[in-house]
Amino acid sequence: MDEPRNALSGTAPTLEDVARVAGVSRATVSRVVNRTRNVDPVIQEAVRRAVAEVGYVPNSAARSLITRRTGSVALVVSGAGEGMEEEFRNQVFTDPFFSRVINGVMGFLRPQGMHPVLMLAETPEAREQVVAFLRQGNADGAVVVSTHADDPLPELLVAAALPAVLFARPVRPVPIGFVDVAHQEGARLAAARLLENGCRRVVLISGPLDVRAARERRDGFLESMARHGVPVVPTAVGNFTQASGEAAMLGLLAEHPDLDGVFAANDLMASGALHILREQGRRVPEDVAVIGFDDSSAATASRPALTTVRQPVEEMAAEMTRMLLDRIEGVSVGPKSAVFDPVLVVRQSG
């Protein structure tokens, strides 16, 4: 495609051309093009219209020299234990949770003219590569989804003084910003719904207990059930996959055939539980009510559609990205946090 040319001079459109059409100074155009945030939104829109009208294309290399910014952010999924690298990679590309995070990050970056660089950090070597990538200035900072309690990446990023924000509160007290959802409150919503439906022989399918979110969902659910006169809740532990939900449900049914309610700590495990209940001839919700957590695509794809606790993943990912850009641009100093409220989404399963 031919490069846009200035109609008067035959040269490529310049900042001066944009400024003349927008009716502002060259300096103002430069600030908008370089994504300086303290520009009036009305002026920003006028400059963007002028950019489109004259066909101006910023020189990204020159802009990087001026701003010391790359216009990209590393989106890092970090975790995995010894020997679990392949399972980790499979989970990243099949679990609807991660696609929702990516959508939230991209949805925030795209209007800023910025782009994410997806990086997987499932081994010590891969984590060192992430740190080196950022130190070398290949991205302006990182938004990090950590899937393992012993993940050292947050501490490595802090030690290297690299801008980063986490999805989910860190397990250890690391001075790094994060977004999270009130997991215990979400689990209490699930308990209240099962009790409202008359369930008293309730079981729990927990996530892996080395993950803070799984522990908090378990604790919130058990506490709420105990407060309402159900002191013992049989529990099986899965790993947030559909297959683990199926295995957990089979075991719980064998040990507690009269169960009448299930809370699974994420939608994929709840979907697995629904599959086993259907195979075993249990009607949902007439015989057994089932509630999940996340409100992912698995919830609406399940049959019957899954009642679940909504974790606003896209909004959380967008906020995580906003916090990172504020840190990069000096708008905020020091780590910040944001905790979102969960919402019960009632469908057909319970």
Side-chain angles (χ1 to χ4, degrees):
M1 181 181 292
D2 291 338
E3 185 179 359
R5 315 303 289 179
N6 186 305
L8 297 178
S9 64
T11 61
T14 65
L15 289 177
E16 287 79 4
D17 297 323
V18 177
R20 186 165 51 253
V21 172
V24 298
S25 69
R26 183 189 186 282
T28 297
V29 173
S30 178
R31 287 163 64 203
V32 174
V33 169
N34 290 320
R35 294 188 289 270
T36 301
R37 286 193 164 192
N38 59 342
V39 179
D40 185 278
V42 174
I43 294 176
Q44 289 187 45
E45 182 58 30
V47 170
R48 291 191 186 106
R49 284 198 302 267
V51 165
E53 182 177 335
V54 304
Y56 175 73
V57 179
N59 184 316
S60 59
R63 183 170 64 189
S64 292
L65 286 172
I66 295 168
T67 65
R68 298 181 183 272
R69 301 281 183 263
T70 66
S72 63
V73 165
L75 170 52
V76 185
V77 184
S78 179
E82 188 68 30
M84 298 177 61
E85 291 86 355
E86 184 175 354
E87 180 182 339
F88 168 79
R89 289 190 290 270
N90 290 339
Q91 184 179 9
V92 169
F93 292 110
T94 58
D95 189 332
F97 167 81
F98 294 105
S99 64
R100 294 178 67 194
V101 172
I102 292 170
N103 285 338
V105 171
M106 290 185 64
F108 189 87
L109 288 177
R110 188 170 287 157
Q112 319 289 329
M114 300 180 71
H115 307 281
V117 178
L118 178 63
M119 304 185 75
L120 302 185
E122 72 277 34
T123 65
E125 295 77 17
R127 284 187 277 274
E128 290 295 343
Q129 288 172 4
V130 168
V131 173
F133 184 83
L134 293 167
R135 273 181 164 159
Q136 291 162 9
N138 296 303
D140 299 328
V143 288
V144 181
V145 182
S146 184
T147 65
H148 196 275
D150 295 326
D151 182 12
L153 183 59
E155 289 160 311
L156 293 174
L157 295 169
V158 169
L162 294 166
V165 180
L166 297 185
F167 193 106
R169 188 192 311 262
V171 173
R172 293 183 291 274
V174 182
I176 191 168
F178 67 87
V179 298
D180 210 339
V181 70
H183 297 284
Q184 291 199 28
E185 177 58 29
R188 285 192 280 268
L189 292 173
R193 177 65 181 179
L194 289 171
L195 291 166
E196 178 185 316
N197 286 346
C199 300
R200 292 298 181 270
R201 299 179 300 281
V202 174
V203 299
L204 166 65
I205 302 176
S206 169
L209 296 179
D210 61 344
V211 176
R212 178 192 285 271
R215 291 200 307 275
E216 291 187 357
R217 293 175 194 183
R218 177 201 63 180
D219 293 348
F221 186 76
L222 296 180
E223 177 195 21
S224 185
M225 296 303 295
R227 284 176 175 271
H228 290 86
V230 183
V232 178
V233 176
T235 301
V237 177
N239 64 2
F240 288 138
T241 64
Q242 181 169 332
S244 72
E246 292 175 352
M249 192 71 259
L250 274 171
L252 289 166
L253 273 172
E255 295 179 14
H256 308 279
D258 63 340
L259 62 86
D260 63 0
V262 179
F263 171 51
N266 84 333
D267 291 342
L268 281 176
M269 294 193 299
S271 180
L274 285 172
H275 179 229
I276 294 302
L277 288 168
R278 190 163 54 246
E279 279 192 345
Q280 298 292 316
R282 305 296 181 96
R283 298 172 302 160
V284 177
E286 293 85 354
D287 301 328
V288 182
V290 179
I291 296 180
F293 201 114
D294 280 342
D295 196 27
S296 67
S297 58
T300 52
S302 296
R303 292 294 177 266
L306 186 65
T307 293
T308 187
V309 177
R310 183 171 191 272
Q311 179 177 204
V313 173
E314 292 85 356
E315 294 93 327
M316 294 165 67
E319 177 63 14
M320 170 175 67
T321 311
R322 185 196 66 76
M323 290 165 61
L324 176 66
L325 296 190
D326 281 352
R327 180 77 185 275
I328 291 168
E329 295 171 11
V331 175
S332 65
V333 179
K336 305 293 183 184
S337 62
V339 178
F340 288 70
D341 292 325
V343 177
L344 183 70
V345 179
V346 177
R347 296 192 178 95
Q348 286 76 49
S349 72

